[in-house]
Structure formats: C-alpha cells, structure tokens
Amino acid sequence: MHKIVFLDRDGVINKQAPVHDYIKTSFEFQMLPRAADAVKLLKQAGFLVVVVTNQRGIAQGIMSESDLDAIHRKMRKILADSGTMIDGIYVCPHEAGTCNCRKPEIGLFIMAENDLGKVDKLSSWMVGDGESDIEAGRRYGVSTILITDILGANKKFRADYLSTSLFNAAKLIVEKQRSTGGTR
C-alpha cells in the first residue's frame, strides 16, 4: 500500500490567480516559495506526491488542454531542477455538477489509486486551500491540511490541521509520520 500526499495545485504549489481568474498559461504559473522543497521533503519521507486539481477554465474555453499541459510541464521542470518530482497529476476539466471527478467529489483520488495501487488511507493526506479540497480529502478518508493565513477559517472547512504554506504542511506531515509510526 502507498502513502500518498494529495496536493491541490493553485494556491498550494503555485501562486493563486486573481479572484474569478485562472492560471491559463505557463507564463502565469509561479511556484510558491519552498514548494519544491516541500515536495522533496515528502518524497524523502517515502510518500508518493500526487496533484489533484479542478481546472474549470478548460470547460469554459478560457484555456485549452495544451495550455494546461504546458503549465504542468513547467511545474515538473521546476521540480526536476530542484531534484524532486511528483508521481502524478489528475485533472478535472469539467463544470461543477457534470462529473464525479470535480472536487469535492473523489473521482480524481480513485483515478490515482487505480493507476498507482492501493492507498494506505491512514497514512495519507490531502493538502488544499479551499473547502472543496478539504471536503474531498475527508470523503476519501485521508487526513487533511488547510493552507490558510486566515484565523478562524477552519470553522467552515473542518480540516484536521492548518498550515500557512506547503512547506510547513510537509514538515507537519513528516513529524506526524515519525511520532505515530505513519498512521493517524
């Protein structure tokens, strides 16, 4: 069984687009500080690292699948240049209510499990910056971390933990793995 850290992309790995906008091109993609270090830390601790991301801009015609592929190539290149990698990227390109893969649904997690093998849910995590990320992680049965700097945000989201960055979340995950032997 695999220990996996599922990561939302926008606002977790890369800088979030302005409200009501999307990261549409590789030029707009900006990795957040220490995000590559976080992925490296998780990989060194024995986790698979998987991106699960809603990309509704494709359904809306704001961006194409080739635009998204270019963004992900850039992300993978930045990670590779930092000496690390992610194990998979799973994307929902649909409008809300038209599929079973758009978070908070768990279709992206099931796709990853089908590709990568059985997931040790007691040792796995979902890290996201929005309600749909946390709800999807909870529905899938893994521990959740909300990336936020807003006090009181967790009253709405009900994440297991809060963190101000992916790097701090990765440190928390590794610390919890050491202190509990890998399970919740």
Side-chain angles (χ1 to χ4, degrees):
M1 288 204 302
H2 299 290
K3 300 180 304 183
I4 299 180
V5 177
F6 296 95
L7 304 175
D8 180 43
R9 195 192 78 192
D10 299 330
V12 175
I13 296 173
N14 61 279
K15 187 176 177 185
Q16 182 81 318
V19 176
H20 303 300
D21 198 4
Y22 301 91
I23 303 298
K24 302 174 291 300
T25 69
S26 61
F27 300 107
E28 296 173 342
F29 181 89
Q30 296 176 4
M31 190 80 82
L32 286 169
R34 306 219 56 199
D37 294 334
V39 173
K40 186 183 284 188
L41 181 63
L42 293 168
K43 297 292 292 172
Q44 289 170 343
F47 287 93
L48 296 179
V49 179
V50 172
V51 173
V52 287
T53 181
N54 292 343
Q55 294 296 320
R56 184 174 162 219
I58 293 173
Q60 293 181 334
I62 295 169
M63 61 190 290
S64 68
E65 287 189 31
S66 63
D67 294 328
L68 185 63
D69 289 343
I71 292 166
H72 289 159
R73 277 193 307 276
K74 181 177 181 178
M75 180 178 67
R76 286 183 186 272
K77 170 98 170 72
I78 293 168
L79 292 170
D81 289 348
S82 298
T84 194
M85 59 171 272
I86 53 175
D87 297 285
I89 301 172
Y90 296 86
V91 175
C92 174
H94 308 111
E95 286 284 359
T98 64
C99 65
N100 69 351
C101 59
R102 184 171 181 78
K103 294 177 289 175
E105 300 300 327
I106 63 168
L108 297 176
F109 297 80
I110 301 300
M111 287 179 214
E113 188 168 1
N114 288 340
D115 289 347
L116 301 170
K118 188 132 178 78
V119 175
D120 177 357
K121 292 183 182 180
L122 290 177
S123 301
S124 295
W125 298 77
M126 173 64 205
V127 180
D129 68 334
E131 185 173 13
S132 67
D133 302 319
I134 301 308
E135 181 61 24
R138 292 178 70 236
R139 287 181 182 181
Y140 187 63
V142 298
S143 295
T144 58
I145 299 177
L146 176 67
I147 303 295
T148 185
D149 57 0
I150 301 170
L151 293 175
N154 208 29
K155 288 179 183 171
K156 179 179 179 184
F157 298 129
R158 299 182 304 149
D160 296 308
Y161 300 93
L162 299 178
S163 182
T164 56
S165 70
L166 178 54
F167 185 72
N168 289 336
K171 289 192 311 187
L172 173 68
I173 291 167
V174 171
E175 177 186 310
K176 290 290 182 189
Q177 177 182 252
R178 286 186 190 131
S179 68
T180 63
T183 59
R184 286 184 250 174

